[in-house]
Amino acid sequence: MAKPASKRTAKSTATHTSSKSTTVSEIPAPYSVPPPVLKLFLAELDPAHIYIVHVDNHPWMFKRRIFAVPVLMNVVVALLLLWRAAVALPSYGAIVLATLGHSNDAKVDFKHTDWATLLWIAVTRALMFFCDWALARFLFSWPRDFFFGSPASPTSWRWKVRFRDQEVVVRKSRRWDQALPSNWLEEDTTGPVYQERILPAIDRAWVQAKTGYLMMDKNWDLDFQGMISAHALVSQGKASLSDFQKTVIVHSKPHGWLTWPIYKLDEGGHEENRRKIVEFKDRLTAMGEENLFFRWIELIQYETSQPGDFTPERQAHAMAKAKELFESRGVDLEELGREIGGIEALPGMEIAR
């Protein structure tokens, strides 16, 4: 008579089954586990932020001309503040000494001064205090952060990385990320976080048109320390520039760091393939279905990120799901493919060959 399985065996089997169900499939699309080569880079990022990395291919001379503008502006502001400090400090020192009872030009003789003169002195000093406070409050931070920002500044970034034809650009989300709901990663790419914050920042034409330093806006800031660290890894041979192609990086409590490799969709393959992807997106946009393009991206990214090879059977499955997605929006995928000269160049559509 066969002995029943021991509790340990049953527990081991249950654990194994549970571990098999807790796989990459639970990672929210379109994200996947980052490649191991990025481990050192990700260790220095702040999990509270969303990041976008890409390689800036603008010529180094162009980047130097762009960077010269904020350098000159901050030098002028710093000189203005130094001049104002040199002029104002003696006046403030005299006022402080007069307040302490010393006799000097700043001391006011209240007994022998008329009210109109006292009012004038009060107004002019109040105006001086306010203007100097405004200069310190709103202008001082510009040169301070530009030259001495912590943990890294634009100046330290350029000092260490210099100007190169190919540079790693690291952007991080601003304070709007603090208001994100805890389950925002479960939304698809048609949600407000993607439509208003992420997708405009990864638009292919926009990214190609701007050099890294011009990408700071109300939604995204540059992570200067992140860029320094990325180039340090490249210089040490621990990573390559190709590891930092356009990718969205997020942190999830259940899964840790996750990546969405956008470059595989808008920069992968030959020129003809790229042309078809762009034309595919443009035609959907002209039909008023640009969101459908990004939902298709999400679907293909999810299907190709599953464990194992992207076999013909899986390609056929992805193709069937894509057709179903397009049909739900009243779009004939096969007809659209014929209009761009075939859909076999599009990611996830290889089975159409």
Side-chain angles (χ1 to χ4, degrees), residues 4 100 108 159 165 167 188 197 221 234 247 273 326 335 350:
L100 295 175
V108 179
W159 182 262
D165 287 328
E167 296 177 353
D188 60 32
R197 312 285 191 178
D221 194 7
V234 173
T247 301
N273 295 353
F326 278 73
E335 178 62 25
E350 293 87 351

Side-chain angles (χ1 to χ4, degrees), residues 48-164:
H49 291 298
I50 302 170
Y51 293 86
I52 300 175
V53 301
H54 76 279
V55 177
D56 183 355
N57 293 308
H58 286 85
W60 71 270
M61 284 290 292
F62 175 74
K63 294 168 184 171
R64 189 172 70 174
R65 287 198 299 270
I66 293 297
F67 194 71
V69 175
V71 169
L72 292 174
M73 182 185 71
N74 281 280
V75 167
V76 170
V77 171
L79 291 175
L80 172 64
L81 292 173
L82 289 173
W83 169 81
R84 180 56 194 163
V87 172
L89 285 177
S91 298
Y92 285 110
I95 292 174
V96 171
L97 291 176
T99 304
L100 295 175
H102 294 266
S103 180
N104 55 33
D105 293 339
K107 189 173 181 64
V108 179
D109 185 356
F110 291 95
K111 293 182 178 180
H112 302 92
T113 305
D114 59 84
W115 282 105
T117 304
L118 289 175
L119 181 62
W120 173 252
I121 294 174
V123 170
T124 54
R125 289 188 178 181
L127 186 60
M128 180 180 71
F129 294 158
F130 175 77
C131 291
D132 289 335
W133 172 83
L135 285 174
R137 175 65 177 81
F138 299 108
L139 286 186
F140 176 70
S141 60
W142 293 6
R144 180 198 64 195
D145 294 343
F146 186 81
F147 294 111
F148 308 107
S150 178
S153 67
T155 305
S156 63
W157 164 55
R158 279 304 178 199
W159 182 262
K160 295 179 180 179
V161 176
R162 307 294 182 179
F163 297 94
R164 312 183 186 195

Side-chain angles (χ1 to χ4, degrees), residues 21 30 65 77 208 258:
S21 63
R65 287 198 299 270
V77 171
Q208 289 183 343
L258 301 173

